[in-house]
């Protein structure tokens, strides 16, 4: 289904690798002298990155780390993080990626829960940690004696990623080498030019979207990856690096679009051709507006538990509301409107959390907690979350995301939130002020309110909102830029 959206020469290069080591060896052999990563202070070719990872593998061996051992990585985004991650997984060990904002006691707790044998720690973060933890500072680890990479079986574990899962409580999802490499391969489908590109990274590498679709996809395709260590420097670094691919959440894509309008120039540079957008609902408006700038913005859908990717939308202009076609090799089904999954990209389970595993699975199917539908051509649409369903006193069940989507089609609406108040629905809206001002209306707010009322009148009676609030500030958001529904 994806082949027709990709050049034949590109499609032929999208192959299966059984583990990260096999993929990495191919990338070093094929692209050895190409730039692999840079972060503003360091840069490395594929060959140089391989040599640095080999030294850290040697340090891991000196610490008694062997195949299947779990090693925590506690570091900020940068070349050092990438070297350490590659070293751990190509040593046959399991990398537990710990967000650098965690406090010391939380790191101590998850180290116990995940059964970590060692922590590789950035020097600046070491002071956070209790003395009882087995720690190796990354700068010292990079001076080890080089050790060869090893290949493991596809089913052997590779990485532990933090996730809120379907219940919202933080857990560690265990992904096998097969899952990581399947998710990485999925990221290459549906894009005409994907090999030897210039990727730009602003997402946390401890988040599955940043790790799989940004870092791993770049390394798989022989691309160069610029790691932006401080988002305040984002546009200055884009101007210097001139990326062709940006992996991003919708809120940042919206910000870049607004700034491009404000300064009357493309803030992403003339070389930017592809934006991969996900981790939250993507407004169709973004797809259309970026197309006018000569940039393809592709919405997609995935979870930490699915090694990031479930579907991607190569037909973005014709179906901008869809999260796309399911990638091959998976099984998907709807049960009472909820999307259930099976496939080679799925996690092995939550680490040390049998209760969460029992709640997440049924008959071998992973229950996503997402409400969904398919159209007649097999394109997937996410319509809400089960846990966000609003039940009114008259018995009606409302998916707020589905109602919000009806208002979000307006180009004057940047984002919206629907919730219940005194058994009635309330709509809060963040307007696209630049779009409203460009329309030259005498009273932009009144015009927007009338647009919202027009949409509201088209909704079934039980989905109509009783009150509309037009905000002058953004919603509170999570680190992945999703709206925090309980903290408006």
């Amino acid at each position: 289904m994806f082949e027709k959206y990709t050049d034949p020469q590109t499609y032929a290069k999208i192959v299966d690798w059984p583990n990260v080591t096999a993929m990495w060896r191919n990338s070093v052999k094929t692209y050895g002298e190409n730039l692999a990563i840079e972060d503003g202070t360091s840069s490395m070719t594929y060959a140089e990155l391989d040599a640095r990872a080999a030294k850290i593998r040697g340090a891991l061996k000196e610490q008694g780390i062997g195949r299947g051992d779990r090693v925590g990585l506690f570091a900020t985004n940068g070349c050092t993080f990438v070297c350490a991650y590659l070293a751990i997984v190509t040593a046959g060990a399991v990398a537990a990626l710990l967000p650098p904002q965690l406090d010391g006691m939380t790191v101590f707790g998850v180290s116990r829960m995940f059964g970590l044998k060692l922590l590789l720690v950035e020097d600046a973060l070491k002071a956070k940690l209790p003395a009882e933890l087995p720690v190796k500072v990354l700068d010292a680890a990079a001076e080890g004696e080089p050790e060869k990479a090893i290949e493991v079986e596809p089913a052997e574990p590779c990485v532990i990623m933090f996730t809120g899962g379907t219940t919202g409580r933080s857990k560690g999802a265990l992904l096998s080498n097969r899952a990581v490499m399947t998710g990485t391969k999925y990221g290459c489908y549906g894009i005409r030019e994907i090999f030897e590109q210039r990727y730009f990274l602003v997402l946390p590498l401890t988040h599955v979207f940043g790790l799989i679709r940004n870092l791993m996809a770049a390394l798989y395709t022989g691309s160069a990856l610029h790691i932006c260590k401080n988002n305040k420097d984002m546009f200055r670094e884009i101007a210097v690096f001139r990326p062709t691919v940006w992996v991003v959440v919708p809120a940042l894509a919206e910000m870049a679009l607004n700034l491009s309008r404000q300064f009357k120039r493309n803030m992403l540079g003339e070389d930017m051709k592809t934006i991969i957008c996900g981790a939250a609902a993507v407004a169709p408006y973004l797809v259309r507006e970026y197309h006018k700038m000569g940039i393809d913005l592709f919405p997609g859908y995935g979870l930490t538990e699915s090694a990031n990717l479930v579907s991607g939308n190569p037909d973005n202009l014709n179906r901008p509301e869809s999260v796309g076609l399911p990638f091959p090799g998976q099984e998907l089904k709807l049960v009472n409107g909820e999307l259930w999954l099976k496939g080679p990209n799925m996690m092995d389970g939550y680490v040390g959390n049998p209760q969460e595993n029992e709640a997440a699975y049924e008959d071998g199917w992973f229950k996503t907690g997402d409400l969904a539908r398919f159209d007649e051509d097999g394109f997937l649409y996410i319509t809400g979350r089960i846990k966000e369903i609003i039940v009114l006193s008259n018995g009606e069940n409302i998916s707020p995301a589905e109602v919000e989507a009806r208002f979000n089609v307006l180009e004057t609406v940047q984002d919206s939130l629907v919730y219940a108040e005194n058994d009635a629905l309330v709509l809060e809206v963040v307007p696209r002020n630049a779009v409203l001002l460009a329309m030259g209306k005498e009273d932009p707010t009144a015009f927007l309110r009338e647009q919202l009322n027009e949409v509201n009148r088209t909704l079934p009676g039980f989905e109509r909102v009783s009150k509309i609030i037009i905000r002058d500030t953004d919603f509170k958001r999570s680190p992945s830029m999703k709206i925090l529904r309980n903290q408006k």
Side-chain angles (χ1 to χ4, degrees), residues 356-376:
E356 291 286 355
N357 287 322
E358 186 176 352
Y361 288 92
E362 189 165 324
D363 297 328
W365 290 86
F366 179 76
K367 301 183 290 184
T368 66
D370 288 315
L371 298 168
R373 67 178 178 87
F374 292 93
D375 67 18
E376 63 279 4

Side-chain angles (χ1 to χ4, degrees), residues 18-19 152-158 174-179 344 346 348:
N19 51 58
V152 299
E153 294 299 316
E156 291 188 56
C158 180
L174 179 62
L175 300 174
S176 67
N177 273 263
R178 178 189 291 117
M346 298 307 298
D348 293 336

Side-chain angles (χ1 to χ4, degrees), residues 8-31:
Q9 298 91 336
T10 298
Y11 193 80
K13 293 165 70 175
I14 303 173
V15 298
D16 285 308
W17 295 107
N19 51 58
V20 175
T21 297
M23 180 219 78
W24 178 241
R25 282 176 170 159
N26 178 73
S27 292
V28 175
K29 179 182 177 182
T30 309
Y31 309 108

Side-chain angles (χ1 to χ4, degrees), residues 107-319:
V107 174
F108 181 82
V110 297
S111 295
R112 288 287 189 86
M113 184 169 70
F114 293 170
L116 302 186
K117 192 171 180 178
L118 180 69
L119 270 171
L120 289 181
V121 179
E122 188 176 317
D123 188 49
L125 299 177
K126 184 182 177 183
K128 279 189 177 188
L129 302 179
E132 300 89 341
L133 287 173
V135 166
K136 180 76 173 178
V137 175
L138 276 167
D139 287 345
E143 301 304 319
E145 285 297 316
E147 183 68 24
K148 288 183 178 180
I150 68 168
E151 293 200 36
V152 299
E153 294 299 316
E156 291 188 56
C158 180
V159 67
I160 299 171
M161 303 291 304
F162 262 73
T163 177
T166 58
T167 64
R169 293 187 291 272
S170 292
K171 302 175 285 293
L174 179 62
L175 300 174
S176 67
N177 273 263
R178 178 189 291 117
V180 168
M181 290 316 309
T182 302
T184 301
K185 181 183 70 172
Y186 286 169
C188 299
Y189 284 126
I191 301 170
R192 296 204 176 276
E193 296 180 9
I194 198 64
F195 285 85
E196 296 188 71
Q197 298 297 305
R198 296 191 299 277
Y199 274 76
F200 194 78
L201 182 139
V202 293
L203 302 173
L205 285 166
T206 53
H207 189 282
V208 73
F209 199 23
L211 182 80
I212 301 293
R213 189 57 191 86
N214 223 162
L215 172 63
M216 288 297 295
L219 299 179
Y220 179 104
T221 58
S223 300
L225 176 70
H226 179 90
I227 302 168
C228 181
K229 300 179 79 169
N230 187 333
N231 284 6
K232 292 180 180 178
D233 299 325
M234 182 190 316
F235 296 109
R236 179 180 59 80
E237 293 183 14
I238 283 173
V240 174
F241 182 67
R242 298 172 60 187
T244 59
V245 182
W246 194 27
V247 181
V248 72
V249 296
L252 287 178
E254 184 87 47
M255 180 183 73
L257 182 61
N258 289 339
L259 288 173
S260 295
R261 287 211 169 108
Q262 180 181 339
F263 293 104
K264 294 182 171 55
R265 64 184 177 90
N266 181 358
M267 298 297 290
L268 299 180
E270 297 306 316
D271 291 340
M272 183 68 72
K273 299 301 178 191
T274 303
I275 295 177
I276 308 299
C277 202
V282 178
Y285 171 83
L286 290 176
V287 176
R288 293 190 292 264
E289 292 303 305
Y290 272 108
H291 180 71
K292 294 175 185 176
M293 295 167 59
I295 299 172
D296 278 316
L297 185 146
F298 296 106
Y301 167 73
L303 312 121
T304 304
E305 294 87 346
S306 67
N308 183 220
L309 294 165
V310 171
S311 67
N313 188 352
D315 195 20
N316 55 339
L317 286 176
N318 293 321
R319 308 174 209 242

